[in-house]
Amino acid sequence: MADKVQLLTSIEKKTLIGKRVPKPDSRDKAIGRTRYINDMKLPGMLHGKILHAGVPHARIKRIDVSKARDLPGVHAVLTADDIPEFIFGMARDNRPLKGGKVRCVRDEIAAVAAESEAICDAALALIEVEFEALPAVFDPAEAAKDDAPRIHEGKDDNFNLKYHFGSGDVKAAEATSDVVIDETFNVHYVTHVCMGTSCAIADFDPDGKLTIYSQTQYPYNFKMDLAPALGMHAGDIRVIQPPIGGAFGSKLDVYPYEPVCVLLARATQRPVKLMFSREEEFINAPTRQPVRIHLRAGAKKDGTLTFRDIKCLLNNGAYTSWGPTVPYVMMRTFSSLFRVPDVNIDCQSVYTNNPYAGSFRGYGNVQATYALAIHTDIMAEALGMSFVDLALKNAQVSGEVTPQGAVLNECALAECLTLAADKTDFRAKEKEYAALRDAPGRFKRGIGMAASIHNAGGAKIHKSDGCGTILKLDDYARCTVITGASEIGQGIDAVLSQIISEELGIPMRDITIVNNDSAIAPWDVGVHASRTTFIAGNGAQRAARKARVQILAAASRQSNVPPEALDLREGWVVQEDGGVPVIKIDRILRQMHFSDEPELVMVSDYYEPPSEPEGKDHVGDMSAAYSHAVHVAEVEVDTETGEVKVLKITSAQDVGRIINELGLEAQIEGGIIMGLGYAISEELIIENGQVRNPNFRDYKLITSPEVPELDLHFIESHSSTGPMGAKGIAELPTIVIAPAVANAVHNAIGIRFHNPPMTPEKVARAIWEKNSSRAAAE
Amino acid sequence: MQVKPSGTLDEYLAPVTIEEAARALADGRASVLAGGTDLMLQAANGRTPYRGRLVNIRRIAELRGAAITGGRVRIGALTTVTDILNHAELAKAVPVLRQTADKFASNQIRNMATIGGNICNASPAGDMIIPLLALEAEVELASWDGAKIRTREVALEKFFTGPGRTVMERGELLTAVSFAVPEAGHRVRFAKSGPRPALEISTVSAAFAATCKDGVTTNVRIVLGAVAPTPIRARSAEALMEGAECSGDLAARAAKAAAGEISPIDDVRASAWYRTHLTEVFVRRLIEDVCHG
């Protein structure tokens, strides 16, 4: 059958893979058209607000909400007395509203639903609370003592989660070491500072089924985790994820404001929206997990690493979210970053009266890499080597298996190290700056390197790490893809469209991605762990290939060309060889649909990555791919004011294969900037359980003028398991940057900072102390 | 979060003349709105509750703008920080004002924030105040005495009595700030703590003014911000430098003396140690810049 346009001689294969593709929603976001969850209003909607304890540890002697209930415009006031004792949280230690006593300043003791936020505020002010202060404990080492105040009743002590991993014989390995370095690091509290503050909208239907508009990153398990906090069946909860202003891990758990919002909706039988003010957000949103890391490790004279012996103490805070589980990832770095056979790791979290941490981009790896990459630099210095040479000496090669069982297929660590060093003239500059350390002059320059490893093919921390995809094509070759993968700003919408466009030979504009509604899209574990491009991308590719097979079979029947000799390009079925057009895709789809044996192209796929959960011994190949990144930081330190100016960051990262170069760059740039804040300016200052700087004035984010020159290099190792060879990329940039800056600062002024951030005061003080002790010695 | 009452507003007035404004303020039951960059935040967080009546002075055209006449600079209270940044004549006559305005908050805040508001807010960290003190500026205050406008002038140095507190009486309106154009050779410089180039509240700020002629320093003024309950002049450091030869370790000695005159606090932004340290660093650098630069 001659199609008219068969006169066209040939259609060449064009690809969008590796191209610079704008996110489909970027225009609407740029012009202010996007309606974020924080902007949403439902008909008849009330507003909700929470009364937080404001004190770190106290018995609630009396709480009287009668005046608040009497305020006109107030529809409900709830305390723990008004609801059954719903217990939730991964350690089952949390409740939506706290009765009896409070354990940290965040504790939710009452909640109001009213006609407006202003009435809510007025009502909260009318609630009378009388506390009886209890002895409080804020330091995990203090809280670990026998006589420390108990945070949770009915527990023998304040210990919570405990982790141990051992491999080989560290004592024997230490005996063979020429150098042993023993250092302790204290990494601090930072918070996500999402542009959109925490927000939920709860709406019940007449059958008692709940729709929750949520910022969650994990809609399906979110239902499972939210249900016990409400006494509901998880099946009766529908989760809709409107556009949000950032998550970065902060929305990977259920936090009390969410069930509180729902309980207010249930009590009022009206939709209720609960949204944090910025101050509330700073005080009540999760933080990054602070950790005290004691790291003892050895090497032989030639630089061969011999052992690592590590102890971590985690400030659990009052309740358990993902924060105290970061050792799962910390241990991976300690056992897998460079080749080291003998490893012993012990981690312990201890309850205190501090606020509590959640997950945060990079998870425990930001903390672990901060310690380990500085420790490696100290080791290199002790051995008279450059960081890069010590790292290269111990860099694994493809196929190696780490002590925890990670199989490093397509390992590009050495390439990352070599490229980063070559691009920055690292070895020469490192020597040159170190030699100038004690020369006169107010400004000192330094260069520093850091490296790390992270899972890049999902992370099997649940029974399944999969993602469901449903794909259909209509009579006009328009494709709708219903994916479990959540879009929260990270860019999976563009990536999936590119992959499907590639497989089906249709333009991106003809592809619609549908997701972010648990009643529509199939299951996915959530957007976290740098997994979505890898997992959902594989799923989309597999679904598209099923559709492709169906289309090619039909085209083959019609054209008598074998399907393996056909291809889909530019909206056409073509002959693979020479690109001779056979039939337009929409035409064959209509023919398939309206034939004697009608068929529609609608396929589904559930992709489960080839990874395995860790055993109790913490061994297992938990990701389907792993990746490395190396950063080189160049800094200038003002030795008088202590200001650290980051001049340039050079990044070399194994990305597997570039899918969307624009999205990739944006992720890496954003990650670096976030990590720079961790390094030099951001700290949530918590003293005696109170957040001291809950505002943008005193919580110092990196602003645009301080962003240094960024020189980004992508290494394409072509993952055998990733979609088109891609690996997950989003967390590594945040992980690697801070220790690179710390090593650069050391290179400049000869001082180590084991307690980030390297604020001007901290640096100035350290320089002053160094000069004072030097003067005293002379 | 503790919920704090922030006062309520039951009346709003938008006068167009100073007289109307003075009459609207006369009973002392009014809050003045100029740029609003401090007022809105402080009313919202309860620090400065609204007084019942909001008097928006932004429509009083005569309060906005800067002019140099008869050797004196006069800047209307409503002149924004952006106005100052963009005022070519002012920048030529008194470069330190542009230098300071450039380090003030962010573009958006500069567009709204007024010089009068920055002075009346009386923050020890108020950036524009610091060079104005080095210029020995005066403020003009207007009030309604029941029959007519009453005005008085107060030296800026005598204006501040504590954090957020001034000698201004309830009912008074700050209308302008003025100072003599610095004589030829008299240089004024400003410095503040970083590291952010914008949106940085000063941990320490400093201004230095002096005439360095034939190796001798005269007309010395050293002003320090955020290191005492009000911005201060470092009088003993000034005395040390006045008429002294600007050579050798004079800058270092004067800086040390200035650091001894402050009463800094420990707070979430910095320790007293760091404030003292930075004071010394800034004063020394400013002196070196002015006298040797």
Side-chain angles (χ1 to χ4, degrees):
Chain A
M1 282 290 291
D3 211 304
K4 264 184 272 175
V5 200
Q6 204 173 5
L7 298 171
L8 275 176
T9 49
S10 82
I11 297 173
E12 279 176 36
K13 176 101 188 157
K14 281 193 196 151
T15 181
L16 285 170
I17 301 301
K19 297 291 190 297
R20 305 178 68 80
V21 177
K23 262 176 69 54
D25 61 358
S26 50
R27 176 183 165 277
D28 278 359
K29 284 185 171 167
I31 65 175
R33 196 166 173 271
T34 301
R35 197 171 63 141
Y36 292 90
I37 184 171
N38 306 65
D39 304 320
M40 278 182 65
K41 240 184 222 171
L42 298 184
M45 187 180 84
L46 299 173
H47 296 268
K49 280 262 175 203
I50 291 170
L51 184 66
H52 297 280
V55 294
H57 201 194
R59 199 159 298 289
I60 304 173
K61 279 178 72 180
R62 188 178 71 91
I63 181 159
D64 183 350
V65 299
S66 53
K67 285 180 190 158
R69 283 205 172 114
D70 291 343
L71 188 72
V74 170
H75 287 245
V77 182
L78 298 179
T79 68
D81 293 338
D82 302 309
I83 51 169
E85 187 168 45
F86 297 130
I87 298 173
F88 74 101
M90 59 188 64
R92 295 189 51 74
D93 58 9
N94 212 336
R95 290 161 180 77
L97 291 166
K98 280 70 173 174
K101 80 165 192 171
V102 295
R103 299 173 187 82
C104 74
V105 291
R106 282 180 189 171
D107 274 19
E108 301 75 12
I109 54 175
V112 176
E115 303 279 345
S116 71
E117 282 194 294
I119 296 172
C120 287
D121 285 335
L124 291 183
L126 292 172
I127 297 174
E128 293 167 18
V129 194
E130 221 177 299
F131 289 116
E132 178 191 320
L134 294 170
V137 62
F138 308 107
D139 181 287
E142 291 296 317
K145 292 180 180 165
D146 286 342
D147 58 350
R150 290 284 175 279
I151 312 301
H152 288 276
E153 306 78 5
K155 276 186 58 89
D156 294 339
D157 51 42
N158 290 324
F159 290 108
N160 189 20
L161 306 180
K162 197 171 187 172
Y163 307 78
H164 169 76
F165 171 73
S167 163
D169 183 343
V170 293
K171 283 274 173 294
E174 176 160 355
T176 69
S177 306
D178 296 312
V179 178
V180 173
I181 305 284
D182 192 308
E183 300 280 337
T184 300
F185 300 82
N186 270 299
V187 295
H188 60 306
Y189 284 102
V190 291
T191 187
H192 310 68
V193 205
C194 299
M195 279 196 286
T197 58
S198 298
C199 182
I201 303 170
D203 187 15
F204 280 97
D205 75 6
D207 293 335
K209 291 191 291 178
L210 168 69
T211 297
I212 182 164
Y213 299 85
S214 168
Q215 296 165 321
T216 187
Q217 299 175 241
Y218 76 123
Y220 301 93
N221 287 356
F222 178 79
K223 300 200 305 188
M224 180 178 78
D225 291 346
L226 181 61
L230 302 168
M232 282 184 77
H233 189 283
D236 287 341
I237 301 172
R238 176 181 183 180
V239 182
I240 296 179
Q241 302 157 272
I244 63 169
F248 308 108
S250 65
K251 310 298 191 297
L252 266 174
D253 202 353
V254 169
Y255 290 99
Y257 74 92
E258 293 162 313
V260 166
C261 178
V262 179
L263 292 167
L264 288 170
R266 179 186 282 163
T268 57
Q269 290 300 303
R270 297 264 291 265
V272 171
K273 177 181 187 177
L274 197 152
M275 180 166 80
F276 280 176
S277 69
R278 181 56 65 183
E279 185 183 9
E280 274 185 297
E281 182 79 7
F282 271 113
I283 298 172
N284 301 295
T287 67
R288 191 182 287 288
Q289 178 65 45
V291 192
R292 184 172 307 161
I293 302 166
H294 178 200
L295 210 173
R296 185 175 171 81
K300 295 187 177 174
K301 267 184 220 151
D302 67 353
T304 306
L305 298 178
T306 47
F307 78 99
R308 286 183 189 144
D309 192 0
I310 295 152
K311 288 182 180 52
C312 297
L313 182 64
L314 289 82
N315 193 332
N316 195 99
Y319 304 97
T320 308
S321 179
W322 285 106
T325 72
V326 297
Y328 280 114
V329 172
M330 296 180 69
M331 293 195 297
R332 289 274 158 181
T333 304
F334 291 141
S335 69
S336 308
L337 180 58
F338 311 134
R339 187 185 302 117
V340 54
D342 299 281
V343 182
N344 187 74
I345 311 170
D346 286 289
C347 302
Q348 173 74 59
S349 83
V350 186
Y351 282 115
T352 68
N353 293 113
N354 265 9
Y356 50 104
S359 63
F360 193 166
R361 191 181 200 172
Y363 211 51
N365 206 350
V366 170
Q367 297 91 320
T369 299
Y370 191 79
L372 190 51
I374 294 174
H375 193 281
T376 304
D377 202 48
I378 296 171
M379 179 81 80
E381 196 184 19
L383 291 164
M385 297 172 82
S386 168
F387 180 103
V388 63
D389 294 313
L390 179 60
L392 280 169
K393 174 86 188 169
N394 298 282
Q396 293 105 324
V397 296
S398 296
E400 270 190 71
V401 181
T402 74
Q404 275 186 271
V407 183
L408 305 181
N409 292 319
E410 301 94 26
C411 175
L413 174 56
E415 289 91 322
C416 291
L417 287 162
T418 304
L419 186 69
D422 289 352
K423 291 287 174 190
T424 55
D425 199 10
F426 183 77
R427 292 177 184 85
K429 278 190 188 165
E430 195 184 29
K431 277 202 181 108
E432 180 196 337
Y433 294 141
L436 289 170
R437 240 179 238 163
D438 296 318
R442 169 177 147 198
F443 295 102
K444 296 282 177 243
R445 287 208 172 187
I447 191 167
M449 183 183 280
S452 199
I453 180 170
H454 203 64
N455 48 271
K460 199 157 284 182
I461 54 171
H462 301 281
K463 284 175 188 153
S464 169
D465 192 27
C467 175
T469 309
I470 299 167
L471 183 150
K472 66 139 183 154
L473 282 151
D474 71 7
D475 297 338
Y476 313 101
R478 262 53 169 187
C479 179
T480 299
V481 183
I482 307 172
T483 174
S486 302
E487 167 60 35
I488 58 165
Q490 85 279 26
I492 194 61
D493 43 4
V495 164
L496 294 187
S497 297
Q498 285 175 277
I499 290 171
I500 287 155
S501 168
E502 178 79 6
E503 293 294 338
L504 296 181
I506 57 175
M508 261 184 79
R509 67 175 290 279
D510 290 354
I511 299 165
T512 301
I513 305 289
V514 175
N515 56 356
N516 291 24
D517 185 338
S518 70
I520 295 171
W523 194 88
D524 173 79
V525 84
V527 45
H528 75 121
S530 305
R531 72 182 281 282
T532 308
T533 290
F534 190 98
I535 307 285
N538 267 325
Q541 187 177 32
R542 284 156 49 113
R545 283 186 176 168
K546 288 177 187 173
R548 178 188 167 91
V549 165
Q550 205 180 334
I551 296 165
L552 293 185
S556 170
R557 284 196 299 275
Q558 198 212 48
S559 63
N560 290 324
V561 181
E564 56 275 15
L566 294 172
D567 194 9
L568 301 175
R569 297 176 191 171
E570 305 288 300
W572 284 82
V573 180
V574 299
Q575 290 184 22
E576 169 118 59
D577 188 15
V580 180
V582 176
I583 185 169
K584 283 191 89 171
I585 296 173
D586 61 341
R587 185 163 180 162
I588 186 75
L589 285 166
R590 285 194 296 275
Q591 289 181 7
M592 290 161 76
H593 185 181
F594 303 112
S595 70
D596 294 342
E597 292 173 66
E599 56 175 329
L600 272 179
V601 178
M602 45 182 195
V603 299
S604 69
D605 179 76
Y606 186 67
Y607 172 70
E608 181 68 44
S611 51
E612 59 191 20
E614 286 188 359
K616 285 208 162 45
D617 57 358
H618 298 293
V619 174
D621 192 17
M622 46 74 83
S623 182
Y626 301 89
S627 170
H628 289 88
V630 174
H631 284 179
V632 173
E634 294 175 68
V635 304
E636 183 176 80
V637 181
D638 182 330
T639 56
E640 293 181 353
T641 63
E643 283 169 32
V644 174
K645 189 173 182 184
V646 181
L647 303 171
K648 185 177 178 183
I649 301 296
T650 304
S651 154
Q653 181 168 339
D654 170 15
V655 302
R657 185 174 169 204
I658 302 168
I659 305 279
N660 181 358
E661 193 177 25
L662 204 57
L664 174 63
E665 278 178 7
Q667 283 276 13
I668 293 181
E669 288 172 1
I672 286 174
I673 294 164
M674 192 170 244
L676 269 182
Y678 190 76
I680 64 172
S681 66
E682 285 183 52
E683 178 170 21
L684 197 68
I685 302 170
I686 299 176
E687 289 172 1
N688 297 326
Q690 300 280 357
V691 176
R692 294 287 315 280
N693 56 339
N695 54 63
F696 282 122
R697 186 187 56 204
D698 294 320
Y699 186 93
K700 305 265 184 201
L701 291 173
I702 298 286
T703 58
S704 301
E706 301 145 82
V707 176
E709 180 188 349
L710 302 176
D711 185 20
L712 310 182
H713 301 275
F714 313 123
I715 290 163
E716 296 190 291
S717 63
H718 293 270
S719 166
S720 53
T721 46
M724 315 278 174
K727 290 182 176 181
I729 56 94
E731 292 170 285
L732 267 169
T734 305
I735 291 164
V736 192
I737 181 71
V741 173
N743 289 340
V745 169
H746 173 264
N747 185 233
I749 61 172
I751 300 173
R752 297 281 179 191
F753 291 88
H754 288 8
N755 54 340
M758 290 167 275
T759 59
E761 168 155 4
K762 210 178 276 177
V763 174
R765 181 101 201 178
I767 292 170
W768 180 80
E769 278 167 6
K770 185 183 172 193
N771 292 342
S772 302
S773 64
R774 184 183 292 174
E778 285 162 6
Chain B
M1 189 189 73
Q2 300 304 311
V3 179
K4 303 148 202 152
S6 61
T8 52
L9 287 173
D10 43 43
E11 195 181 358
Y12 169 80
L13 295 175
V16 293
T17 66
I18 291 173
E19 183 182 319
E20 281 176 5
R23 295 173 77 139
L25 297 172
D27 66 359
R29 284 197 60 252
S31 298
V32 176
L33 171 70
T37 56
D38 287 316
L39 180 72
M40 302 290 281
L41 296 179
Q42 292 173 15
N45 70 21
R47 213 183 102 190
T48 313
Y50 287 125
R51 290 175 179 163
R53 182 187 310 128
L54 187 67
V55 177
N56 173 7
I57 60 168
R58 297 169 58 81
R59 296 183 193 175
I60 308 174
E62 60 187 299
L63 285 183
R64 185 163 178 178
I68 305 175
T69 45
R72 231 175 140 71
V73 178
R74 189 173 179 283
I75 306 174
L78 275 186
T79 309
T80 66
V81 178
T82 299
D83 290 341
I84 290 169
L85 204 53
N86 294 338
H87 200 295
E89 200 188 353
L90 199 59
K92 195 157 170 259
V94 204
V96 70
L97 288 182
R98 175 181 275 186
Q99 191 202 353
T100 308
D102 190 46
K103 292 182 171 156
F104 186 101
S106 64
N107 284 332
Q108 293 89 335
I109 295 172
R110 283 176 215 151
N111 288 341
M112 296 301 291
T114 66
I115 189 116
N118 197 230
I119 295 169
C120 290
N121 190 48
S123 164
D127 282 336
M128 296 309 298
I129 297 167
I130 308 304
L132 289 171
L133 280 168
L135 293 160
E136 298 197 322
E138 289 178 345
V139 293
E140 301 172 17
L141 305 174
S143 56
W144 185 251
D145 71 358
K148 61 176 191 310
I149 292 274
R150 186 172 66 98
T151 60
R152 62 173 178 141
E153 270 136 42
V154 179
L156 193 58
E157 199 190 349
K158 307 271 186 220
F159 185 71
F160 305 105
T161 57
R165 294 203 309 274
T166 70
V167 301
M168 224 171 20
E169 285 161 20
R170 276 203 177 196
E172 278 189 312
L173 179 70
L174 189 146
T175 52
V177 58
S178 69
F179 53 87
V181 176
E183 66 195 49
H186 190 69
R187 300 170 73 192
V188 195
R189 291 283 186 281
F190 173 79
K192 77 181 263 191
S193 53
R196 290 207 299 221
L199 285 170
E200 185 78 59
I201 184 164
S202 291
T203 300
V204 171
S205 55
F208 177 75
T211 304
C212 299
K213 203 175 166 194
D214 305 327
V216 175
T217 316
T218 55
N219 217 352
V220 178
R221 295 157 204 167
I222 299 172
V223 186
L224 302 168
V227 290
T230 67
I232 58 163
R233 289 273 293 266
R235 294 282 184 183
S236 60
E238 290 178 6
L240 187 81
M241 291 196 72
E242 191 65 38
E245 268 186 55
C246 43
S247 63
D249 61 352
L250 180 66
R253 284 191 294 121
K256 207 159 198 69
E261 293 182 68
I262 63 176
S263 46
I265 55 166
D266 285 307
D267 70 6
V268 74
R269 261 162 244 154
S271 67
W273 176 86
Y274 189 55
R275 287 197 161 94
T276 308
H277 175 80
L278 270 191
T279 300
E280 198 175 329
V281 167
F282 284 167
V283 172
R284 181 175 49 70
R285 282 187 191 173
L286 287 168
I287 295 172
E288 285 169 356
D289 180 29
V290 168
C291 297
H292 309 297

